[in-house]
Amino acid sequence: MNDLEQRLHYPLGDALPENGRCIEVAPGIKWIRMALPFALNHINLWLLRDEMDGVAGWSVVDTCIHRDEAKAQWGEIFAHELAGLPILRVIATHMHPDHIGLAHWLCDRWNAPLWISGLDYQVARLACLAPTSFGGARTAAFFAQHGLNDAETQSKLLNRRDYFTTLVPSVPDDYHRLLDGQTLRIGAHTWRCISGYGHAPEHMALYCEGLNVLIAGDMMLPRISTNVSVYESEPEADALALFLGSIDKFRPLPESTLVLPAHGKPFTGLHERIQQLHDHHRAHLDKVRQACRQQACSAADIIPVLFTRAMDFHQTTFALGEAVAHLHALWYAGQLQRTRGADGVLRFAATPG
């Protein structure tokens, strides 16, 4: 553990669910952990004991990406962890591939409805139908204007046409909309939706007061900070301000809340972690501000300021979005000014005075 993690408490210690098996983390809540073929190498999924229309069963929260290994692991879960009961509904905290990739398959397999926020559902459908799938000319142009304009990067972006659809081949044709403040009756318990922004279009976390449990999705992770990015679809976004405002919505919850994150281990210490994330981004903003005082910087110039480790192309695309998010936070605050150079690149410098 790093120093920050040591300030949190992990009630289950180092225990992790085995492949194809679950660990019960609270009454009627089972923890599934599935592998991902990325640097972030796993995702946590949740089974909630449920009943709908007089039928006993389970709700699934998040699904993993579309891959044969995940389907096989789900098969083991079906065989050994459902007590012979069906999946009644599939809940997606948001539309990122590791959370919604197998929603279509689970919904079809169990004739179960999808529950998700309206904005994330529509963005996911658009991503499945769009020919470029988060790549192509518009993405390449966005990266170029922020300084990643070398031939190799531009070629990879122009030819990235199946990133999303490889991981999320489709989403269900209809859905049930989750709204901020909405309450869901899941089995014997009531859960309240808490919306979050800056990471996904309209992320939904779920809090159960009766169990004092927060299914946090990607909005509250114990070890790493959630990616907060600006994308070409909303190029002027102030994503970091949205994210920091969103995590403050968890402050009214008890410090003793058991947080079930999408990555990492279940933990308590919610208020501590909220403050850690604020401190983390404040430190990053200080680094960006200092760099832009020395010279005008593009987002590409800011990547090594924020990230010192070596990164592959996939990670670099996220790093660019995060660099833009930090620059925009200072720009909207009036601490930086933005200019476009003769080369078409946007650069940010300290505001005079």
Side-chain angles (χ1 to χ4, degrees), residues 44-119:
N44 298 325
L45 316 172
W46 312 98
L47 283 175
L48 309 181
R49 194 71 165 77
D50 203 356
E51 181 177 329
M52 295 181 67
D53 301 325
V55 178
W58 301 88
S59 281
V60 170
V61 181
D62 292 334
T63 71
C64 199
I65 61 172
H66 184 273
R67 67 193 301 239
D68 289 342
E69 294 89 340
K71 288 182 178 181
Q73 191 168 348
W74 271 117
E76 292 294 310
I77 298 294
F78 299 158
H80 301 289
E81 298 289 350
L82 300 187
L85 301 176
I87 302 296
L88 300 176
R89 60 181 147 188
V90 177
I91 301 170
T93 57
H94 61 297
M95 51 71 61
H96 289 164
D98 48 335
H99 297 261
I100 200 174
L102 278 174
H104 70 291
W105 179 76
L106 286 168
C107 290
D108 286 347
R109 167 70 174 75
W110 293 99
N111 191 28
L114 173 67
W115 295 62
I116 188 174
S117 72
L119 188 51

Side-chain angles (χ1 to χ4, degrees), residues 88-321:
L88 300 176
R89 60 181 147 188
V90 177
I91 301 170
T93 57
H94 61 297
M95 51 71 61
H96 289 164
D98 48 335
H99 297 261
I100 200 174
L102 278 174
H104 70 291
W105 179 76
L106 286 168
C107 290
D108 286 347
R109 167 70 174 75
W110 293 99
N111 191 28
L114 173 67
W115 295 62
I116 188 174
S117 72
L119 188 51
D120 272 59
Y121 177 76
Q122 298 299 341
V123 173
R125 280 189 67 84
L126 178 62
C128 287
L129 297 173
T132 57
S133 191
F134 296 112
R138 290 188 67 252
T139 302
F142 177 76
F143 276 65
Q145 79 168 357
H146 284 292
L148 276 181
N149 51 13
D150 62 281
E152 181 180 0
T153 297
Q154 287 290 298
S155 177
K156 288 180 178 179
L157 290 167
L158 285 167
N159 289 289
R160 187 172 74 170
R161 297 183 175 275
D162 59 357
Y163 165 69
F164 192 85
T165 52
T166 297
L167 306 174
V168 189
S170 66
V171 294
D173 291 333
D174 51 54
Y175 74 107
H176 292 248
R177 179 180 295 182
L178 298 178
L179 296 167
D180 184 49
Q182 176 183 355
T183 57
L184 304 179
R185 190 69 180 178
I186 302 177
H189 301 285
T190 298
W191 295 77
R192 175 167 58 91
C193 297
I194 304 174
S195 62
Y197 303 92
H199 173 67
E202 191 181 14
H203 185 291
M204 287 292 171
L206 298 170
Y207 175 67
C208 178
E209 183 177 6
L211 294 171
N212 196 25
V213 170
L214 173 68
I215 299 179
D218 278 346
M219 293 301 291
M220 189 60 50
L221 305 178
R223 182 176 176 83
I224 60 175
S225 58
T226 301
N227 178 259
V228 180
S229 284
V230 175
Y231 300 98
E232 74 278 4
S233 58
E234 192 183 355
E236 303 288 291
D238 191 1
L240 184 56
L242 290 173
F243 175 76
L244 294 175
S246 295
I247 63 174
D248 281 342
K249 294 168 70 174
F250 297 134
R251 287 190 187 273
L253 305 185
E255 173 70 358
S256 60
T257 298
L258 177 62
V259 181
L260 306 182
H263 310 283
K265 296 179 291 187
F267 70 96
T268 59
L270 175 61
H271 298 169
E272 168 66 27
R273 186 55 181 155
I274 292 169
Q275 190 57 51
Q276 289 178 7
L277 290 170
H278 275 281
D279 293 344
H280 166 82
H281 286 292
R282 187 178 300 111
H284 273 199
L285 289 169
D286 287 343
K287 292 178 182 179
V288 173
R289 189 184 297 109
Q290 182 60 36
C292 293
R293 284 178 182 151
Q294 297 174 6
Q295 64 180 31
C297 293
S298 68
D301 296 326
I302 294 299
I303 290 177
V305 174
L306 297 180
F307 304 96
T308 57
R309 66 184 185 275
M311 292 183 291
D312 58 23
F313 170 74
H314 180 73
Q315 294 169 306
T316 299
T317 62
F318 287 113
L320 189 282

